[in-house]
């Protein structure tokens, strides 16, 4: 049973560009959350998708947007990249009926030059 | 403001010793307190979790102690092993109908030396 998979594993972009990160949830999971983890810090909640809708959002600007597809996979889009967007982006999946148990992927390392 | 404060930032423990990591939270509405373990190049993995109606939970060598009145909780790793060397994050969340927004601490890098 595959766990949470994220792609790509590493990505290098320049300031002002746009990036799309992808996440496939653990089999049977219907909720996807995205987190940003800066070097040496804990993950920060970006937003969460359930039933193809954004259900909750953290303190991130509108440059960060997302989407959930009917098969529960999800994308995170970041526009107008800034140097400060360099981080590890983590996707976590869970089952809405089972509270608070999230399974994380290995993340996408984004470097903005 | 929903914050979780974690200490120490780093910890070195001898093999067989006890590792202790402390956390404090502000929002009394939090009702679920998980600990995550993260190895380099991997995402965080749920280690153990506790709800505020319980003062202690033990799973193998890992124990969470919870003090609701002080809004503090801690992770104890008994008989620490080199394989426990990782970064540990405390966290807290609400349970609003199954939507699990998790607020993480800043992490503790644990090194267990032989």
């Amino acid at each position: 049973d595959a766990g949470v998979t994220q792609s790509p594993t590493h990505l290098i972009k320049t300031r002002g560009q746009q990036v799309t990160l992808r996440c496939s949830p653990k089999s049977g999971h219907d909720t996807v959350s995205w987190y940003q983890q800066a070097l040496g810090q804990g993950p920060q909640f970006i937003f969460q998708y359930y039933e193809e809708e954004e259900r909750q959002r953290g303190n991130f600007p509108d440059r960060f947007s997302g989407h959930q597809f009917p098969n529960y996979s999800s994308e995170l889009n970041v526009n107008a990249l800034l140097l400060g967007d360099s981080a590890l982006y983590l996707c976590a999946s869970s089952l809405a009926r089972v509270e608070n148990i999230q399974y994380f992927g290995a993340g996408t390392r984004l470097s903005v030059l | 403001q929903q914050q979780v404060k974690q200490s120490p930032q780093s910890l070195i423990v001898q093999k067989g010793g006890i590792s202790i990591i402390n956390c404090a939270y502000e929002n009394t509405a939090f009702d679920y307190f998980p600990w995550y373990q993260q190895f380099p190049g991997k995402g965080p993995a749920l280690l153990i979790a506790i709800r505020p109606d319980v003062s202690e939970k033990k799973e193998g060598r890992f124990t969470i102690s919870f003090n609701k009145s002080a809004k503090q909780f801690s992770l104890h790793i008994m008989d620490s092993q080199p394989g426990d060397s990782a970064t540990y994050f405390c966290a807290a969340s609400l349970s609003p109908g199954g939507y699990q927004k998790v607020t993480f601490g800043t992490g503790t890098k644990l090194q267990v030396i032989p």
Side-chain angles (χ1 to χ4, degrees), chain B residues 28-51:
Chain B
T28 55
F30 285 141
D31 66 351
Y32 182 76
F33 300 88
W35 284 87
Y36 286 84
Q37 180 189 56
Q38 186 176 27
F39 292 103
K42 302 290 186 181
L46 180 64
L47 188 63
I48 185 173
I50 197 168
R51 292 194 179 275

Side-chain angles (χ1 to χ4, degrees), chain B residues 3-11 13 18-26 33-36 47 50 55 63-67 70-77 87-92 103-110:
Chain B
Q3 284 189 337
V4 178
K5 297 181 179 179
Q6 182 172 349
S7 63
Q9 186 175 5
S10 62
L11 185 60
V13 174
I18 303 174
S19 303
I20 302 174
I21 304 170
N22 300 301
C23 286
Y25 63 97
E26 298 177 354
F33 300 88
W35 284 87
Y36 286 84
L47 188 63
I50 197 168
S55 61
T63 300
I64 299 178
S65 297
F66 189 86
N67 186 330
K71 294 189 288 185
Q72 296 176 345
F73 57 111
S74 61
L75 175 69
H76 292 64
I77 305 175
T87 299
Y88 292 81
F89 294 95
C90 61
T103 300
F104 284 82
T106 52
T108 296
K109 188 173 183 179
L110 172 64

Side-chain angles (χ1 to χ4, degrees), chain A residues 31 33 35 37 40-45 48 50 55-58 88 90 94-96 98-102 104-106, chain B residues 9 31-32 34 36 38 41-46 51 87 89 93-107:
Chain A
T31 302
S33 302
Y35 294 81
Q37 186 176 19
Q41 298 296 315
Q44 297 291 315
F45 177 78
Q48 182 183 83
Y50 172 67
R55 294 288 176 160
Q56 291 192 81
R57 190 178 183 92
L88 180 68
L90 295 163
S94 54
L95 188 58
V98 180
E99 294 183 358
N100 297 321
I101 300 176
Q102 296 192 354
F104 283 82
Chain B
Q9 186 175 5
D31 66 351
Y32 182 76
Y36 286 84
Q38 186 176 27
K42 302 290 186 181
L46 180 64
R51 292 194 179 275
T87 299
F89 294 95
S93 71
L94 307 173
S95 299
Y99 304 142
Q100 311 99 345
K101 173 183 175 180
V102 181
T103 300
F104 284 82
T106 52

Side-chain angles (χ1 to χ4, degrees), chain B residues 53-72:
Chain B
D53 55 345
V54 177
S55 61
E56 185 175 282
K57 183 175 181 180
K58 183 177 181 179
E59 290 185 1
R61 296 184 295 109
F62 300 92
T63 300
I64 299 178
S65 297
F66 189 86
N67 186 330
K68 187 175 181 179
S69 60
K71 294 189 288 185
Q72 296 176 345

